Amino acid sequence: MKLIYEKSVEGRKGVRIPVRDVKHYPFLPVDLLRKKPADLPSVSEFNTVRHFSALEKKNFSIDSNFYPLGSCTMKYNPKVLESAANLPGFRNLHPFLSYSARGLEAAQGALEILYNMEKALASLTGMDEISFQPMAGAHGEFAGIKIAAAYHAVRGEHRKIVLVPDTSHGTNPASSAMAGFDVVTIPSDKNGEMDMGEYRKKLNGSVAAVMMTCPNTLGIFNRNIKEVCGLARKAGALTYCDGANMNAVLGKMRPGDAGFDIMHLNMHKTFATPHGGGGPGAGPVCVKKYLSDFLPGEAVRKDDDGRFVIVKRPRSVGRLAPFFGNFGVLVKAYAYILLMGGDGLTDACEKAVLNANYIKAALEKFYELPYKRRCMHECVFSASAQAKKGVRALDIAKFLIDRGFHPPTIYFPLIVKEALMIEPTETESIETMDEFIKIMKEAASLAEEDPEAFKKMPVNSCVGRMDETAAARKLDIKYSK
Amino acid sequence: MKLIYEKSVEGRKGVRIPVRDVKHYPFLPVDLLRKKPADLPSVSEFNTVRHFSALEKKNFSIDSNFYPLGSCTMKYNPKVLESAANLPGFRNLHPFLSYSARGLEAAQGALEILYNMEKALASLTGMDEISFQPMAGAHGEFAGIKIAAAYHAVRGEHRKIVLVPDTSHGTNPASSAMAGFDVVTIPSDKNGEMDMGEYRKKLNGSVAAVMMTCPNTLGIFNRNIKEVCGLARKAGALTYCDGANMNAVLGKMRPGDAGFDIMHLNMHKTFATPHGGGGPGAGPVCVKKYLSDFLPGEAVRKDDDGRFVIVKRPRSVGRLAPFFGNFGVLVKAYAYILLMGGDGLTDACEKAVLNANYIKAALEKFYELPYKRRCMHECVFSASAQAKKGVRALDIAKFLIDRGFHPPTIYFPLIVKEALMIEPTETESIETMDEFIKIMKEAASLAEEDPEAFKKMPVNSCVGRMDETAAARKLDIKYSK
Amino acid sequence: MSYCPHTDKEIEKMLRVIGADSVPDLFSDIPDDLRAGELALENGKSEFEVMGKLEKLSANCSAGRISFTGGGFYDHFIPSAVDALSQMSGFLTSYTPYQSECSQGTLQALYEYQTAICRLTGLDGANASVYDGGTALAEGIMMAARKTMRKKIVIDACVNPLYRDIVKTYFSGQGFEILEIAPDGCAVDREKFIKAIDDNTAAVVIQNPNFFGTVDDYSDITAAAHSAGAQAVGSFYPVAMALLKTPAETGFDIATGEGQSLGMPLSFGGPYLGYVAATSACLRNLPGRIVGATCDSEGRRGFVLTLQAREQHIRRERASSNICSNQNLCAIRALIYLSLAGKKGFREVAELSRDKSEYAKELIGKIPSIKIKNTAPTFNEFVFETDLPADTVLEAMSKSGIDAGIALGGFYKGFEKSVLISFTEKSRKEDIDFFARELENFLTERK
Amino acid sequence: MSYCPHTDKEIEKMLRVIGADSVPDLFSDIPDDLRAGELALENGKSEFEVMGKLEKLSANCSAGRISFTGGGFYDHFIPSAVDALSQMSGFLTSYTPYQSECSQGTLQALYEYQTAICRLTGLDGANASVYDGGTALAEGIMMAARKTMRKKIVIDACVNPLYRDIVKTYFSGQGFEILEIAPDGCAVDREKFIKAIDDNTAAVVIQNPNFFGTVDDYSDITAAAHSAGAQAVGSFYPVAMALLKTPAETGFDIATGEGQSLGMPLSFGGPYLGYVAATSACLRNLPGRIVGATCDSEGRRGFVLTLQAREQHIRRERASSNICSNQNLCAIRALIYLSLAGKKGFREVAELSRDKSEYAKELIGKIPSIKIKNTAPTFNEFVFETDLPADTVLEAMSKSGIDAGIALGGFYKGFEKSVLISFTEKSRKEDIDFFARELENFLTERK
Ligand SMILES: Cc1ncc(COP(=O)(O)O)c(C=O)c1O
Ligand SMILES: Cc1ncc(COP(=O)(O)O)c(C=O)c1O
């Protein structure tokens, strides 16, 4: 399909710009001006509509496809969430209004949402205070590690190590490193949990924080988390919970109760805000009371008259976003929380776990299951048996694309060879999962019978298998005509 | 693809209904109640979203396909029109408010739209007053013929005949018949215009009205319309202009000036309101001053204080809609008129005619052109040469579907054998038309080389060629499980 | 400005292919004396200006107050998914599904819609929509007239007065006799009505719940019609049908109605949705489009427009109706709405709407000077009478921010002090309480 | 309630397959002492109640008054098509395009977006977005720090103070020295700035137009940076770039900025769009996702995520950034916006915004007690000073229904009586006139 630039026709006009009701003022001095106009597309509004309508059809999406991408919680995004975020009072509110008394008046409704949501999330996580500045999970992690750094700094301690399990998501070590820490990895034991022996060995006075994902990326609930947290506390380290997988425990278990000091949530996973093909999300960072002064950005509080006010945090790690992060995403998450309520969120959690275990049980005989135990919201298979025949996880992914199913996450977590990480989420029906199971079984049979057949796949998509190596070698990241 | 009923699972719940804040009252007496609940689908909200997302993909549409369906004016529907109709003041306004003084206050903005639009449309058509009650073109025709009937009735004349040309749209004779008139058809002459000799012959004291389409459905501007109207007037008959093709003359020529007494407009064609897969449209009926008392429904007027009021029409033919017709569609049309302005509408008309003539010129050598002359907004070819090889207009239509182009209107107008009626509209670009032309040429070649190939088409759509005969014979118009 | 993509260069190229010198040249067929002069229209404006203007006009409509206005058009809740799904461009920007293979989305949806209407009414077939509930009723009666070849129509005056107007317009001047039977209180005058049926009668015409909100069982009337060889035609509020005896169970041959309540915003009167359903004996007599299931060349199920030989584009002056464009997108909205609400939820909507109305009736009924006029059961609306002209009462309520219903005096003699008030599942108890208080206060003060 | 489709029967069946007795059974791995107690959350509500509540909260935000508030976040016009297109479910409800063959829509759009950013900035490559303009600036400086392996950052205090805060947060506690150069009036203090650059300097950091609205040519500063072996990093307002010398033309190595103006609503601070572009020498050092063109097995062009070896999911602690989810949909919105506005229209937006600002500057400048603080040219905003504390002035204007800008005292010493005021193509002349009148009246009265 042509690029919008290839469709551009010199002289063609797009939307009409608002009428000019003031005179033309003299141009800026010529030495401040660009030499020639940016070569943006010259297309009609209708050209644009056709172009993006065509592009949109080339995507799989939750509304059209089962999307069991592990660790991504691709649940149904209720349509009403869009209506909520588009309410004019929210949509048109200028953020700088939060910087003046008169502006606060104008923003009361928005501040009330932040205030209420903090309460709701605190109750779900067992944490005490929350900053909404982080704009995605990784941003929340960075905030959390910064908080740990500040906490130790205030106490005059120089701790330079963050411990992460080998199952951790790549953002965990990356966020730690970006905050200036050295990352030490702890292996998993044969149950897919953190190896406590190794953990004890590596936990020492240089450790600033321990990051765990709960449940972890194998979909396994680490039964030792309380001990992990307790040991860390004794060693003077803080514990961080990567809450990306909260959908597995909502209403069942609260990281705060297990002893975690800090955590983040992924609103674009657990709280059903649409992922938009990669973002925007929101990754609020939550802490216990004793760390709340360090939170990034300002706090929203209620004053004695019931008005919402913005209060500076005395020892804040600083600002991570100009205002309150991805507010529009937060409104959607808030609407979701109100719609679901405590009962609905718990129900969602139960059904998410039920669905994952159902798929696990149904496919257990066809794919190797590296950890044979109950799973939480997702299950991780290995295609290593198939790989021996030459059919890799990637090939199975392409097979699924041809059948209209989005593939699972593949090759993650890293400790599972040829990983197929399947997270159905609670909003999928048994019919859809049965269809998926059927097709996964077909893939397994085909891998036995005709492994070569996979190499040509996908054939039903708008393009065939992409040459990713060539892409990196002969870098072409912008169109030059 | 499964029906929504086939996806239904007993006990599955849809959207949550608002909370009950009043007690349960005793049921209605049992003899008033239905025996069992209506067997509507039991599906989740997400099931519904998936179902309709899948269905939506099975349609061609203006946003995704060139749609040169003749006589339908499938132009781009600006996205802003939807925003306009959804403004809360319009969307949530109860129509019965127009029945009281206090209600009129609440409806001032809506009435202003109707008032202004009447003025705008009057200026475009050369007519004087307009009723917005008719909800589509055919409804407008019915209104117009009813007005003619009332006009003659008031004068004590018993005229029972309506004259229509053989090129007229089926709704013209059908509307006339539904209003109790006998329909007499006038043939076209060799230029594709009304045969004036035949017209003169058939025009007599029994003729209540003459209906013409301007330009006609051959895409030809009848150069004699003024004479047609003049002769009718002399004979005491009224003239009706079917304005479905107004896109061809907007700003260029006004039916009112040609002498027409009555006409309707198709807002869902000329004024860019989306057609919604078959409706809703709006078909306002416009008349000259001397017929305005007969218009259906009430008039909107401005009083001395500049307030908008609703005024009964003394000799109205009656009510054709409970209120002001498809108001939501009218808001879109009004927004379109404001966006386009007089200059834009005229420009649209010019480009519509330019585009049609371009396609005509480009395909003239490949398809028989029954009327070899300039066309207006559409051109009508005949596939009769191809039909001799066994490739009918319908086959060419299916060929186009396979190539992602919506077919032209086929087999209409009736006087052209194997008609292919092509209306590109003004919003199509030359690239798209060139692509269409190329494919139409391919069809012509293929018809020469391999006529049999057409019979299997389409093959790229979600279903193959449908058995329409079986559908009518073994009538299955509802799902029974 | 317009939405045309044409550049000057392209225009030149096209003119060359056409063999014309200029664009105005293309209009040479328009005689000089018919050339339009200057249009009395302003030039086009940008989206910003136009939306600015429309937002002002919208703000000048005080929609969204507490409202108990109904009269056949109800403020039921519309889930966001109805808009989101129906506005997808495949539904919104396609034309009539003449070419079935590239219109299966619309066609299957209509087949499902027809099924839903059949399941609601209990009847055997439904068409793909007509304009609205009023024209649906007129079309339904025309079906009966065609079938019976008779010229007399007996209609209960408890049918929505606006619909009766529409029926009169459709049938005027064609030798039909339309006999309106005045109500007995807020209900049909059974005796008079049945007496009026004779062997010239093409159709008896009934509405349930009627315009006053009264619910009834019309089996006796449809039986009387049938024994006189007439057809029974009715107009039915779909939400009430979730609970009430179906038109089929009550003996109606043809059921019609307004589908606005199934996901259409009030929108000052339209676009709404007329539905028409009928017994199997009448199906080939239905107006407008009908979708049927069939198979493709490989035996796969698919859908097409069927029985097109009834329609104007084939049969012209002998068509069963002149209708061409219908309210397709509204039918799809209704189907989406019914799918979202579902078998269970749709009943809940009906039950809640009725119970809110019962609650209000109880509350208002306690106000000393007020009389509830309906003596028979009601669904979600009823009529109350005070000692004052209805407009005085409504005016006062309006000052309290409440649209308290419809004054009936303009439609019915003897109802000058009567107000038709209605409720849906959206009517909040606190708003009903507030209204009852305001009403009582006002009436007491005026004493 | 939840959005789960499960019926009791299905749950039973699934449990049987799993071999579990009950759903709670599945949670047996959670130790008893970690079981959550009762949640302090209300039960779920229906869409009707929730939207009712949110509508009230929305109404409690007085957005939509006359506003001249900017400061890096501007109320430009957003054509309806931006919403309509970006909210199509293929864009809205898909995940990151890891599986390229079923994500070509997102991938091609991102490639086109990257191209647009390159064409605006004049630079060689851009990534697929980061969170916002502030984090983009921090990421840009980190690129420079990695490249130069130096630890000193010289930043103009005319850079948005909120962005400087973000930069400080990112770099704190890691041995970096961040040197802020106080402004000279409303412009960079050239001399001091250039003097501060030395061979420890990783990056010089500039914003154009700066936070005061002042437009400048920073070629001398970037040249000084380069001769010291430092990189030049800037933050650029995309609408201004339609007119101004490009970052490339001015010698910047890395251009970053806030894309909110390209079709994102203000939305109380987000979601917005951070862009990062760089010269070819820096491309493999970019943070986050990048889309590249390549071919499929049959040689057809297609798009993939490329250079993934830079990213956290491959390189973990050695990744060029920790970013994973970005602001993808906002990038697509920006591309749609730029396509709709087009080459010509986008310049018009810039010209109009500036001319409205010039008009206001002229008008306000005439008020006796007012001083325009910018001495150099400005783009669409400027600083004015009165004899009163800025908050007093803003408070008064607010009473007239005008949000008249940002009080600068909280951000800059010596600016306690200064207001930053901004304009876009949407600022109506009549509103500017009204504001100027109100302002003059107020200042006169207070005399
Ligand atoms: C376990 C885990 N942690 C962290 C992240 C990062 O979240 P984000 O993409 O919102 O930055 C993810 C996202 O996939 C994740 O799955
Ligand atoms: C020439 C002409 N007249 C009348 C009509 C009927 O209009 P509607 O479908 O709005 O009833 C049409 C519609 O196709 C038409 O093309």
Side-chain angles (χ1 to χ4, degrees), chain B residues 71-72 136-139 141 169 171-172 213 217 242 244-245 264 266 268-269 275, chain C residues 95 131 324-325:
Chain B
S71 211
C72 298
H139 210 207
E141 295 169 18
H169 192 264
T171 49
N172 291 188
T213 307
T217 61
D242 176 336
N245 294 345
H264 81 265
N266 289 54
H268 44 301
K269 298 180 178 178
H275 200 260
Chain C
Y95 203 80
Y131 307 129
C324 180
S325 291

Side-chain angles (χ1 to χ4, degrees), chain B residues 92-143:
Chain B
N92 301 325
L93 193 60
H94 198 292
F96 252 121
L97 288 174
S98 62
Y99 274 81
S100 69
R102 102 214 106 84
L104 281 187
E105 278 314 299
Q108 284 296 305
L111 295 174
E112 184 168 344
I113 287 185
L114 295 172
Y115 184 87
N116 290 345
M117 186 137 70
E118 180 168 3
K119 297 270 166 295
L121 296 181
S123 131
L124 284 165
T125 56
M127 310 302 281
D128 299 311
E129 288 195 28
I130 294 171
S131 164
F132 291 105
Q133 286 210 326
M135 289 176 273
H139 210 207
E141 295 169 18
F142 182 68

Side-chain angles (χ1 to χ4, degrees), chain B residues 9-12 14-19 44-47 53 57 76 79-80 83, chain D residues 1-7 10 43-49 80-81 84-85 89:
Chain B
V9 174
E10 196 61 42
R12 201 170 273 178
V15 299
R16 183 183 281 209
I17 304 308
V19 72
S44 71
E45 177 171 328
F46 189 23
N47 288 153
S53 298
K57 290 195 168 56
Y76 170 57
K79 294 295 164 198
V80 61
S83 317
Chain D
M1 111 116 191
S2 69
Y3 292 88
C4 302
H6 304 67
T7 65
E10 290 167 344
N43 277 351
K45 299 215 165 29
S46 77
E47 190 177 322
F48 171 65
E49 274 105 27
S80 298
L85 295 174
S89 61

Side-chain angles (χ1 to χ4, degrees), chain D residues 68-80:
Chain D
F68 303 123
T69 308
F73 314 97
Y74 304 101
D75 187 23
H76 287 287
F77 184 68
I78 304 175
S80 298

